Amino acid sequence: MRTTVGIVGAGPAGLLLARLLHRAGIDSVVLESRDRSYVEQRQRAGILEQGTVDVLRAAGAGERMDREGLRHDGIELRYDRRRHRVDFPALTGGRSVMVYAQTEVCKDLIALQLKEGGPLLFEAEALAVEGADTDSPRVRFRHEGRESVLECDYVVGCDGFWGVARKAIPAGLTRTFERTYPFAWLGILADVPPSHDELVYARHDRGFALLSMRSPSVSRLYLQVPEGTDAEQWSDEEIWQELQYRFETADGWRLERGPITQKSVTPMRSYVHEPMRHGRLFLAGDAAHIVPPTGAKGLNLAVGDVVTFARALVHLRETGSAERLDAYSQTCLRRVWQAERFSYDMTTMLHRAPDATPFDDGLQLARLDRIASSRAAATDLAEGYTGFPLD
Ligand code: FAD
Ligand code: DHB
């Protein structure tokens, strides 16, 4: 089997890359280790930045998003039983975000790929990327019980944090940067209309809580829990009670309850792998970097990487210049580190560490108060949340 771009992984990064290349007339093959329904059902991110929305539209993948997605012009910060709204368009010259789940983005891209694009193989597990520093890199993979080789001009590792592509870069050439956090998120899906029409990020002495949504009738809520928590340790009643405590306001706001249909725990990590390229192997999305979810950046960063790669490859084809492809790692890492910073700031401003001192609490409240009282501080948050520009 031979293709121009071998793509490992059919998460948002791999699927969007295949779509962008198809639109540019460049062929690709996508290898995904899991089955289609697993990829389509895996509950993860929910917020698309303005730039991501624009890219999906331009790729002809925005039709259902525009019909069913919910445009959000702000978020609410809640602390000290008070609420403060951050108005995105007013602070950023018109930018906003879209609530449209990763599951739905993946469903839309899979349907388009299967209908119009090149091969997308499910249950095809990449075993190794070989020859990254040669002119003909290969992906060795297993599909339908047989081992095969995909010969490529380029390989893009979009296989997430636990994938194999990153391992093809010699350890002596790489640097990794990592931070773990002593807490995790317990996330639920519930069949109840969202109790607020925008996302609510709450800082509380008992820990962080987030109110989000999937549709006008389905809520998505998160609670900060200790690292290593098992979701089954929490009964539905305990979850609702804890959410109620953390969202409580002096003005009597009420959290509506409903049947919980899913519960899971997400660990928190910051991670950057440098460089994001070795020869003809490129890393994109979670394969190269992880952010804690508080800034809603993971999916959007994955989109940024593959847009940068696709544009660089098109540039090479149109002009003969590999300059942009050669700058891939640098271009992406600038944006990645901005997202790392933003996600770290949001996480440390809103979560309560197990060893937090009264001084730490005071600083958190001061940071929140600053955003509530200074247009400059609020603008910094709004620009970060709605997203840094794509190159
Ligand atoms: P992934 O979505 O991880 O896709 C990688 C794909 O590669 C997977 O389909 C995997 O099956 C496949 N793969 C792996 N190994 C191989 C192999 N050897 N061969 C073939 N295929 C392989 N972000 C937010 O913004 N908000 C959130 O609430 C949020 N929640 C999250 C919860 C969890 C549990 C996780 C893990 C992430 C969450 N994220 C969240 C981050 C966001 O979902 C990711 O940043 C986003 O999925 C990155 O997309 P990706 O395509 O790079 O990687
Ligand atoms: C969602 C997840 C996030 O990490 C976030 O910051 C906002 C929303 C969500 O799943 O809806």
Side-chain angles (χ1 to χ4, degrees):
M1 225 174 156
R2 205 200 135 80
T3 187
T4 305
V5 183
I7 300 174
V8 186
L15 290 167
L16 178 62
L17 177 58
R19 178 70 186 167
L20 295 173
L21 295 175
H22 170 73
R23 301 276 280 191
I26 299 171
D27 64 295
S28 70
V29 172
V30 186
L31 304 174
E32 165 58 48
S33 58
R34 312 302 294 248
D35 64 26
R36 178 176 178 177
S37 80
Y38 180 87
V39 174
E40 291 187 342
Q41 304 304 328
R42 190 171 37 194
Q43 264 313 316
R44 287 184 171 182
I47 299 288
L48 308 182
E49 291 174 357
Q50 179 78 56
T52 298
V53 168
D54 295 343
V55 164
L56 287 169
R57 278 186 193 137
E63 193 199 319
R64 193 164 68 96
M65 174 188 75
D66 279 326
R67 230 177 326 119
E68 297 178 14
L70 309 166
R71 181 190 144 133
H72 278 203
D73 284 341
I75 55 170
E76 187 176 292
L77 296 175
R78 213 171 266 195
Y79 57 100
D80 222 7
R81 293 164 59 84
R82 286 181 288 147
R83 29 210 299 189
H84 175 77
R85 180 169 187 264
V86 180
D87 181 331
F88 297 149
L91 293 163
T92 62
R95 293 168 78 80
S96 60
V97 296
M98 180 83 88
V99 176
Y100 190 62
Q102 179 166 330
T103 47
E104 308 314 297
V105 173
C106 288
K107 281 180 204 164
D108 295 347
L109 290 168
I110 287 170
L112 284 168
Q113 186 68 12
L114 294 176
K115 188 158 153 240
E116 302 169 7
L120 161 55
L121 307 184
F122 289 102
E123 298 178 82
E125 185 191 4
L127 303 172
V129 177
E130 295 168 350
D133 51 359
T134 70
D135 283 345
S136 53
R138 300 169 297 283
V139 184
R140 224 161 22 81
F141 69 101
R142 191 173 19 230
H143 184 49
E144 295 173 343
R146 283 205 328 266
E147 263 199 37
S148 313
V149 173
L150 177 64
E151 309 265 356
C152 316
D153 292 341
Y154 302 94
V155 175
V156 185
C158 301
D159 48 351
F161 185 66
W162 303 104
V164 297
R166 198 169 64 227
K167 300 191 181 110
I169 306 185
L173 300 179
T174 67
R175 267 185 92 186
T176 57
F177 305 81
E178 185 162 16
R179 186 187 171 98
T180 54
Y181 300 83
F183 37 76
W185 278 15
L186 170 65
I188 63 161
L189 271 183
D191 284 337
V192 59
S195 299
H196 192 61
D197 54 5
E198 292 182 332
L199 270 63
V200 180
Y201 287 79
R203 186 250 169 233
H204 194 280
D205 283 347
R206 300 175 68 97
F208 170 72
L210 169 60
L211 181 151
S212 181
M213 61 200 72
R214 287 293 173 264
S215 72
S217 57
V218 176
S219 295
R220 175 80 168 147
L221 295 130
Y222 297 96
L223 276 177
Q224 175 189 341
V225 292
E227 186 187 18
T229 296
D230 175 353
E232 296 314 314
Q233 282 167 252
W234 285 74
S235 70
D236 293 7
E237 173 59 30
E238 285 169 326
I239 292 173
W240 286 117
Q241 184 58 54
E242 191 62 28
L243 287 164
Q244 177 63 44
Y245 283 137
R246 297 188 193 181
F247 285 124
E248 208 164 50
T249 58
D251 62 8
W253 183 88
R254 274 193 59 81
L255 176 68
E256 298 303 329
R257 301 181 180 197
I260 295 179
T261 55
Q262 258 193 52
K263 261 185 230 177
S264 61
V265 171
T266 306
M268 310 273 273
R269 182 195 308 274
S270 302
Y271 174 86
V272 180
H273 181 283
E274 294 189 1
M276 288 172 58
R277 172 202 180 186
H278 177 60
R280 286 173 175 256
L281 167 64
F282 296 77
L283 301 178
D286 280 16
H289 40 71
I290 298 288
V291 285
T294 327
K297 286 279 163 274
L299 165 65
N300 296 290
L301 271 185
V303 167
D305 292 347
V306 297
V307 167
T308 299
F309 176 80
R311 288 181 183 166
L313 195 58
V314 168
H315 184 72
L316 169 66
R317 216 186 33 175
E318 285 175 353
T319 65
S321 162
E323 193 185 350
R324 287 175 70 169
L325 214 47
D326 289 341
Y328 172 80
S329 192
Q330 264 172 299
T331 306
C332 292
L333 283 168
R334 270 193 72 196
R335 189 173 49 229
V336 167
W337 276 109
Q338 284 304 322
E340 291 287 349
R341 177 195 64 83
F342 178 75
S343 304
Y344 174 86
D345 284 352
M346 288 287 281
T347 301
T348 54
M349 180 171 74
L350 292 164
H351 292 70
R352 192 146 195 280
D355 60 353
T357 63
F359 182 77
D360 297 325
D361 294 337
L363 281 186
Q364 284 186 325
L365 293 172
R367 284 162 77 185
L368 286 155
D369 253 347
R370 177 85 188 137
I371 292 166
S373 58
S374 151
R375 188 177 172 93
T379 301
D380 187 48
L381 191 157
E383 286 182 353
Y385 199 92
T386 55
F388 303 106
L390 292 173
D391 323 77

